[in-house]
Amino acid sequence: MNAKPDPEYQIDDRVSVIVNDRNKTARTGTIQGVVWHFKDSRYNYYLEVEGRSISKRYLAIDLLPAAETALPSDEPKLPSGSNLK
């Protein structure tokens, strides 16, 4: 019996879906399930987006680690009276 490789993504990893021929909807969420597909000999990943489970199976080639983005409230504050904008 051959040993399985380690999955590229783990439960709770934050990922974004690559939009292409297989994936029509851009999504960013967390990995909620990792399942080995014996026939294809690769992992399938299941996502949770905004608290909802997504039933579509994704492959590692469909996903990228989600970019850390700053929220508007994280923008640096300019001193009052400053004309730098």
Side-chain angles (χ1 to χ4, degrees), residues 3-76:
K4 295 182 282 190
D6 291 335
E8 292 184 45
Y9 298 101
Q10 303 295 323
I11 301 287
D12 293 330
D13 282 356
R14 191 154 170 77
V15 295
S16 293
V17 175
I18 299 168
V19 176
N20 55 27
D21 291 337
R22 282 182 33 87
N23 307 298
K24 305 296 183 199
T25 305
R27 303 179 195 273
T28 299
T30 56
I31 302 289
Q32 77 166 21
V34 179
V35 178
W36 179 253
H37 191 291
F38 286 94
K39 184 177 175 185
D40 293 341
S41 297
R42 57 186 174 182
Y43 288 98
N44 289 305
Y45 299 91
Y46 293 89
L47 302 184
E48 181 177 286
V49 177
E50 296 177 359
R52 290 183 30 240
S53 294
I54 305 300
S55 60
K56 180 173 174 46
R57 296 180 298 184
Y58 294 96
L59 303 173
I61 60 172
D62 297 326
L63 304 171
L64 288 174
E68 296 295 327
T69 58
L71 300 173
S73 61
D74 293 338
E75 292 178 6

